[in-house]
Amino acid sequence: MITIFRVSTVLLCVSLLMEPLQAQSEVRIDQPTGGRFGWLTRPYQARYVPPVNLTNTSRLESLVRAGNLYLSAQDVVALALENNIDIEVQRYGPLLAQEVLRRAKGGGALRSVGAGVAQGPQSVSLQGVTVNANGIALGGGGVSSGGGIVTQLGPLIPAFDPTFLLFANFQHITSPQSNTFLTGTTALTQDTRTYVAQYVQNWDFGLNAQFTYNSTHTKVNSQQFSLNPFTSGSLDLQVTQNLLQGFGSAVNSRNIRVQRNNIKFTDLQFKQQVITTVSAVLNLYWDLVSFTDDVASRKQEVDTSQLLLEDNKKQVQIGALAEIEITRAEAQLYASQQDLLIAQTNVLQQEIVLKNALSRNGVAAANLAGVHIITLDRIAMPDKDESRPIAELVNSALSNRVEIAQSRLNLESNQMNLVGIKNSLKPTLQGFFELTNNALTGDLTNLGAQLPGVAYLAGGYGNLLAQIARRNYPNYSAGFSLNIPLRNRAAQSDYVTSLLEIRQNELTLQKNVSQIQVDVQNAVIGLQQARARYDAAIKARGLQQETLQADQKKNALGATTIYQVVQDQRDLASAESAVVQAMANYTHAKIAFEQALGTTLEVNNISIEEAKSGRVARMSEIPANAPEAKQ
């Protein structure tokens, strides 16, 4: 009982020690702590982004045994979701989009951030059906200012983050006087202390408010002042409202709404990267399966060529064949050996490409450098293919394809921006008013004591604040400002240019819709073609098998030569290789068909939440009857 308790305690401690290390590798932004005054200092502290994680998940190591990496198709998908670098790059996209939204909420212009969708790795050798049936270009981003330069068309968007200003000034001035009657001295000396506190706030409907408190303490060396030293102060409220250009939340908050669309765009881009990467690694996997099967066919071809050479040597010894037949048999053997070498090279190279796609640090990982991949799944041809009408397939693709949703989001965002750009056509009309409460207080001089009403001003700082509160000396002002640009060519150009771009976006959307129709029809034709090629390869292999059996019977009766039998066996091996290639072509066509319909994630049971977290819940294990590596 004590031993169990100690073991569990050790495991708990290990898990507690490992948890921070795992948490540090997550794609996230850490908020500053700030201590006791964090609520005050947090906006001025840098947040922290953990370094990139280049450690593979434990799933990869768990599938390695005795120098072999045992992979099923589902394991390949899971490893790609957890370790693929292209997907990991896109995991930063939502965080980047959220930070740009934070900037937009503060009144900043949008930034162009993030990386486009990366095309997945390709096999070392492909024949037949194209891997990617998607005719729409991948990559790009949402609507932004463009490039790395932060710009903004339309009325200037104000800063929505309020600002608080504190100003202090201490000054000593000595001024020679030309009229001593007014100051009573030839050199007037002033000591001043000025303090200003100001709060500024903007609202998205175009309102600006400034609330300012000002206090100035002055001491002079003149006896001609009623108060000395004295303190003057004011409390001022100034409000300005845009009435034409810059009016309304649709104009001033357009960047916020556009960036919210960009966040949706980023999520769709992550989904597109998952689809692209998963399709690519599945093509790599099934090509490796076909390459491995092709090696077996090529070995059989070498064996038959070797048998032919040995038989010809015997026939030449007994005088039944000319010596040139040995040369022909050797040429056939060398050709077969060359085909086998190419097939084996394809397997080795394909293993490198696939391992690189499933590892964060590529084939340089210590546990992957000398590992050979053992494929656990075999290519299986279904009894029948998708038989829905083309129109139904196209409608399904239009609702599922990421590119259509992205194009519509970009069009919607550009229309949001157009509202602000159109608003810049209007003149600038601002209405404003200002309220100011003034006050004055200080020490009463002999001169001030002789003047009526001055005693009311005598007092300390409390008297100053009381005068402001009572509004003893108020100022009022109100008015408007109208600025009409003549000809207004820049605003006219910006609006028409943006409208023309929207028309281009609308045409691009229609082009994408048309392209998806082409993609779906081509994918259906490609699937039909791949099945037809497979059926033809199966038929050819069957006929070749029958030919071999017939010539074997003839050879037993002495009606044909062993050369013909060996030739039939070599042709059968080539037919077997053709079947393998046809099956690989079918897998490419099937994957391209799923991409064209936008159903890659559903077909492969991929959860986008698991893809974002980089942790797939499904467990992977090596089956007990897993095949061993073939020498």
Side-chain angles (χ1 to χ4, degrees), residues 320-566:
L321 290 177
E323 290 188 3
I324 190 63
E325 297 301 329
I326 296 178
T327 303
R328 292 176 180 174
E330 288 178 342
Q332 179 62 40
L333 176 61
Y334 293 147
S336 300
Q337 290 175 341
Q338 182 181 9
D339 292 341
L340 174 60
L341 179 61
I342 293 174
Q344 291 172 334
T345 302
N346 282 343
V347 170
L348 294 176
Q349 291 180 331
Q350 190 74 359
E351 286 182 354
I352 294 174
V353 175
L354 182 56
K355 287 188 291 186
N356 186 66
L358 302 181
S359 171
R360 293 186 181 226
N361 42 13
V363 293
N367 58 340
L368 285 183
V371 170
H372 294 288
I373 297 178
I374 305 298
T375 55
L376 300 178
D377 293 332
R378 307 260 65 83
I379 300 175
M381 296 291 295
D383 296 334
K384 60 180 181 179
D385 298 321
E386 186 72 56
S387 59
R388 287 187 291 168
I390 292 293
E392 184 179 346
L393 293 175
V394 169
N395 290 334
S396 176
L398 290 176
S399 61
N400 293 331
R401 287 281 288 268
V402 170
E403 301 90 333
I404 295 298
Q406 288 178 327
S407 296
R408 288 172 177 164
L409 281 174
N410 276 344
L411 180 59
E412 181 183 348
S413 296
N414 285 328
Q415 290 170 343
M416 292 177 183
N417 274 331
L418 187 66
V419 174
I421 297 172
K422 184 178 181 180
N423 183 261
S424 64
L425 292 169
K426 299 178 180 180
T428 301
L429 176 61
Q430 292 180 328
F432 58 86
F433 69 88
E434 185 174 7
L435 304 176
T436 306
N437 294 339
N438 298 301
L440 177 65
T441 189
D443 295 340
L444 196 65
T445 63
N446 294 331
L447 177 62
Q450 300 174 9
L451 298 176
V454 178
Y456 179 78
L457 300 176
Y461 206 81
N463 185 36
L464 178 80
L465 297 178
Q467 292 177 27
I468 292 176
R470 291 193 301 264
R471 304 183 64 203
N472 293 125
Y473 308 101
N475 291 348
Y476 306 93
S477 67
F480 70 91
S481 172
L482 177 63
N483 182 6
I484 302 176
L486 301 180
R487 303 183 70 178
N488 208 20
R489 287 182 291 182
Q492 288 279 352
S493 175
D494 286 342
Y495 175 72
V496 173
T497 300
S498 299
L499 192 59
L500 291 173
E501 290 178 344
I502 287 179
R503 296 295 178 260
Q504 289 179 325
N505 292 337
E506 291 171 345
L507 291 174
T508 301
L509 175 59
Q510 180 56 45
K511 178 183 177 181
N512 289 345
V513 170
S514 301
Q515 184 61 52
I516 284 180
Q517 295 173 345
V518 173
D519 291 344
V520 171
Q521 295 187 46
N522 283 339
V524 171
I525 294 173
L527 202 59
Q528 294 171 348
Q529 179 197 39
R531 177 168 286 278
R533 292 178 65 179
Y534 171 75
D535 292 339
I538 289 294
K539 186 66 175 178
R541 185 183 64 179
L543 294 174
Q544 192 59 49
Q545 181 69 37
E546 293 177 3
T547 301
L548 174 61
Q549 293 175 352
D551 285 339
Q552 285 176 335
K553 292 180 181 179
K554 289 182 181 181
N555 182 63
L557 298 175
T560 187
T561 63
I562 187 63
Y563 174 81
Q564 185 61 46
V565 175
V566 172

Side-chain angles (χ1 to χ4, degrees), residues 48-303:
Y48 176 73
V49 178
V52 296
N53 177 22
L54 297 179
T55 303
N56 295 313
T57 57
S58 58
R59 184 188 305 271
L60 185 60
E61 187 175 355
S62 68
L63 294 174
V64 176
R65 185 178 67 190
N68 297 320
L69 175 60
Y70 292 84
L71 292 178
S72 66
Q74 284 299 311
D75 292 333
V76 167
V77 171
L79 288 171
L81 295 179
E82 292 179 346
N83 298 327
N84 185 264
I85 290 292
D86 292 334
I87 295 179
E88 182 73 2
V89 169
Q90 291 299 332
R91 288 193 180 101
Y92 287 91
L95 293 180
L96 287 168
Q98 287 291 344
E99 289 307 304
V100 177
L101 177 61
R102 179 192 291 263
R103 175 184 176 85
K105 288 181 176 179
L110 301 184
R111 290 184 55 180
S112 180
V113 297
V117 174
Q119 293 283 5
Q122 293 189 359
S123 297
V124 296
S125 175
L126 289 178
Q127 299 177 12
V129 180
T130 303
V131 173
N132 185 14
N134 176 12
I136 300 176
L138 301 179
V143 174
S144 67
S145 61
I149 303 175
V150 180
T151 60
Q152 183 69 63
L153 293 176
L156 182 65
I157 295 178
F160 296 128
D161 287 344
T163 59
F164 182 70
L165 168 68
L166 283 177
F167 173 80
N169 182 42
F170 306 93
Q171 190 176 47
H172 175 82
I173 300 176
T174 303
S175 304
Q177 302 295 302
S178 61
N179 188 343
T180 59
F181 177 78
L182 295 177
T183 60
T185 180
T186 58
L188 179 65
T189 302
Q190 300 180 66
D191 292 316
T192 60
R193 300 195 301 268
T194 302
Y195 306 96
V196 178
Q198 185 182 68
Y199 179 84
V200 180
Q201 174 73 66
N202 293 292
W203 285 267
D204 61 0
F205 51 87
L207 180 69
N208 169 268
Q210 296 183 13
F211 196 67
T212 307
Y213 175 75
N214 176 59
S215 173
T216 302
H217 178 82
T218 304
K219 182 179 179 180
V220 297
N221 64 342
S222 173
Q223 299 299 319
Q224 304 298 326
F225 283 76
S226 302
L227 299 173
N228 187 29
F230 61 90
T231 303
S232 61
S234 65
L235 186 64
D236 178 81
L237 174 63
Q238 183 177 352
V239 176
T240 304
Q241 173 66 53
N242 293 322
L243 300 176
L244 289 178
Q245 188 177 132
F247 173 76
S249 61
V251 175
N252 296 311
S253 65
R254 62 188 185 275
N255 277 353
I256 298 175
R257 290 179 288 120
V258 166
Q259 188 55 32
R260 288 195 175 113
N261 267 2
N262 286 347
I263 290 176
K264 298 177 184 177
F265 186 99
T266 303
D267 291 337
L268 291 171
Q269 183 167 289
F270 178 81
K271 181 179 179 181
Q272 181 64 52
Q273 183 66 71
V274 172
I275 292 173
T276 302
T277 301
V278 167
S279 300
V281 296
L282 284 176
N283 276 313
L284 294 179
Y285 180 80
W286 293 120
D287 278 336
L288 180 59
V289 172
S290 65
F291 291 163
T292 304
D293 292 342
D294 189 51
V295 169
S297 299
R298 298 303 177 183
K299 285 183 178 180
Q300 183 179 356
E301 184 180 349
V302 169
D303 292 341

